Amino acid sequence: MNFTFRNMRIGGLLVVVPENESRYADELDNYNFPVANSQKLQNVIGIDRHRLVTEGTCASDLALFGLRHLIDRGDLQPDEIDGLILVTETPDYFMPPTSSVIQGKLGLSQDMWCLDLNQGCAGFAVGLIQAFMMLQQESIQRVVLVNADTLTRTCSPQDRNAYPLLGDAASVAILEPSTDSQIIHANLQMDGTQHKKIMIPAGGFRLPSTPDTAQVELASDGNYRGQEHYHMDGIAVLNFVQNQIPPLIDNLLSAAARSLDEVDWFMFHQPNRFMLEKLADKLGVPRKKLPNDVVEHYGNASSVTIPTAITHTLGADLTENTYTMCLCGFGVGLTCSSLLLQVGGLRFCEMINYPSSQPGTD
């Protein structure tokens, strides 16, 4: 499915990461594998450290910290927010929507649209598409897209396949009208037949939590986890990425009548360095144009990895310069989505730390 949008832009981008950091070297004894074996894996896929929330911290806490930072600094006016989109796989509650929780705690206008999107690794791209569709309405002039996840709270600390890769974070993107006539191109594909490849099997209404689902057991891949823990079929996801993303990007560029060489940066979801290097080679893109070092510095925070890649790689440079970017997310669902757009002249583009001493709110 293809989309086009006109006269819209990203006006600012903020990423919030917990200051609490854990190093892979300090976690080696947690895993049911020889240390030398785990160290070899570290070198192959590029893992070193990740950022984790402390106990009790939820997605809305990270989001509110970032939003208040922007409001207090004058970069975001509460009365100018017409739409609030929260993309998360780790909501505060089953109900109400966490976007409504955020709206209430900030005291935002009741004359606005709050929306939760249950999306994972493709969630920043999907969220942008939703935000741009909102902006097509005359009554909506500014949309705040928040991506936030606390995935480490869903994962077994004894699962070497997942835990050292995951991280927690939030991002805030301001979407607004633009006088620039540049067309934004986007596309989206979903394959629900592979929904079990990345999932948390228990804890919902299909398989409610019980003492049995909470039991941590030795799995067939040599890791310890329970049915209430995050699980990913890494080989299946790698094959999905290698087979589906190149034609997705080809389709996007064809629709935009652009070539790979005309793209300055490929800011993709960050599963690990190995997968992104293979993907860059498959696309025929220089590896230096497709950053791949987010996981080794922060961990994979699902839909927040694209904003993290942008702020980590370019930061304040985007307040002065403008680049043609291809954004692409892929994962849970299985879903993949990409956009081609101009990004630059932002009012802010930065990363801040969420203090470990910051209390969670209920």
Side-chain angles (χ1 to χ4, degrees):
M1 181 177 294
N2 294 332
F3 304 85
T4 56
F5 305 100
R6 292 172 172 82
N7 304 115
M8 303 175 191
R9 70 186 293 265
I10 299 175
L13 188 61
L14 175 74
V15 171
V16 180
V17 294
E19 67 177 9
N20 183 44
E21 181 180 84
S22 178
R23 288 184 173 270
Y24 183 64
D26 297 328
E27 300 170 353
L28 294 177
D29 291 339
N30 295 350
Y31 309 125
N32 185 39
F33 299 93
V35 169
N37 181 293
S38 296
Q39 290 173 330
K40 181 178 180 180
L41 178 69
Q42 175 183 16
N43 295 329
V44 171
I45 66 176
I47 47 179
D48 181 45
R49 67 195 77 175
H50 53 160
R51 301 293 186 97
L52 300 80
V53 294
T54 52
E55 185 176 358
T57 301
C58 296
S60 73
D61 297 319
L62 298 175
L64 285 164
F65 186 80
L67 288 164
R68 286 170 174 149
H69 172 81
L70 295 177
I71 291 170
D72 291 345
R73 204 172 62 181
D75 285 320
L76 180 62
Q77 302 300 321
D79 59 356
E80 294 179 352
I81 301 174
D82 302 310
L84 173 64
I85 301 171
L86 174 69
V87 181
T88 186
E89 298 173 291
T90 54
D92 289 20
Y93 311 101
F94 277 134
M95 62 175 77
T98 306
S99 58
S100 295
V101 174
I102 294 171
Q103 178 214 25
K105 289 186 178 297
L106 289 178
L108 301 180
S109 169
Q110 295 183 16
D111 185 24
M112 66 177 300
W113 186 355
C114 295
L115 177 67
D116 278 24
L117 291 180
N118 183 354
Q119 279 290 333
C121 313
F124 186 66
V126 174
L128 286 175
I129 291 172
Q130 178 65 68
F132 290 143
M133 288 194 290
M134 281 188 178
L135 281 173
Q136 290 176 328
Q137 303 303 309
E138 292 184 3
S139 60
I140 297 179
Q141 292 297 306
R142 183 159 286 104
V143 176
V144 174
L145 170 62
V146 177
N147 294 72
D149 268 306
T150 55
L151 281 180
T152 64
R153 296 184 63 184
T154 73
C155 191
S156 167
Q158 295 174 282
D159 187 344
R160 192 193 65 177
N161 285 10
Y163 189 74
L165 292 168
L166 297 181
D168 304 319
S171 63
V172 179
I174 310 301
L175 292 313
E176 58 194 17
S178 170
T179 56
D180 191 339
S181 60
Q182 180 74 28
I183 300 175
I184 297 171
H185 292 269
N187 59 12
L188 172 68
Q189 292 181 2
M190 297 186 173
D191 181 7
T193 66
Q194 300 195 67
H195 70 274
K196 292 185 178 181
K197 302 304 181 184
I198 307 175
M199 73 181 306
I200 300 172
F205 291 109
R206 178 63 59 190
L207 183 58
S209 297
T210 67
D212 287 339
T213 63
Q215 187 69 35
V216 175
E217 300 177 337
L218 181 62
S220 59
D221 60 6
N223 291 283
Y224 283 91
R225 61 175 169 269
Q227 290 179 288
E228 296 178 21
H229 286 135
Y230 172 99
H231 175 57
M232 177 178 69
D233 183 339
I235 298 300
V237 174
L238 175 62
N239 290 335
F240 172 79
V241 171
Q242 292 294 307
N243 294 328
Q244 298 299 320
I245 300 308
L248 184 82
I249 301 304
D250 287 345
N251 172 275
L252 178 73
L253 294 175
S254 176
R258 305 290 288 271
S259 68
L260 286 170
D261 292 340
E262 294 178 88
V263 180
D264 299 311
W265 291 100
F266 294 82
M267 295 294 184
F268 284 16
H269 169 58
Q270 303 276 311
N272 60 66
R273 185 179 66 206
F274 173 80
M275 190 180 294
L276 289 170
E277 287 179 342
K278 293 296 184 184
L279 183 54
D281 295 344
K282 187 80 176 284
L283 286 168
V285 172
R287 291 183 178 182
K288 65 181 180 180
K289 293 177 68 173
L290 200 163
N292 58 37
D293 60 344
V294 165
V295 165
E296 63 190 271
H297 289 96
Y298 310 102
N300 171 1
S302 192
S303 70
V304 191
T305 62
I306 294 176
T308 304
I310 293 172
T311 56
H312 174 73
T313 305
L314 296 173
D317 180 42
L318 282 174
T319 64
E320 298 181 1
N321 298 307
T322 299
Y323 301 99
T324 299
M325 289 190 190
C326 176
L327 313 181
C328 183
F330 40 83
V332 180
L334 294 176
T335 302
C336 54
S337 180
S338 64
L339 296 96
L340 186 69
L341 71 169
Q342 298 288 312
V343 181
L346 306 187
R347 293 192 297 280
F348 54 90
C349 184
E350 63 183 299
M351 184 182 299
I352 61 174
N353 285 333
Y354 179 88
S356 298
S357 59
Q358 183 78 11
T361 58
D362 54 23

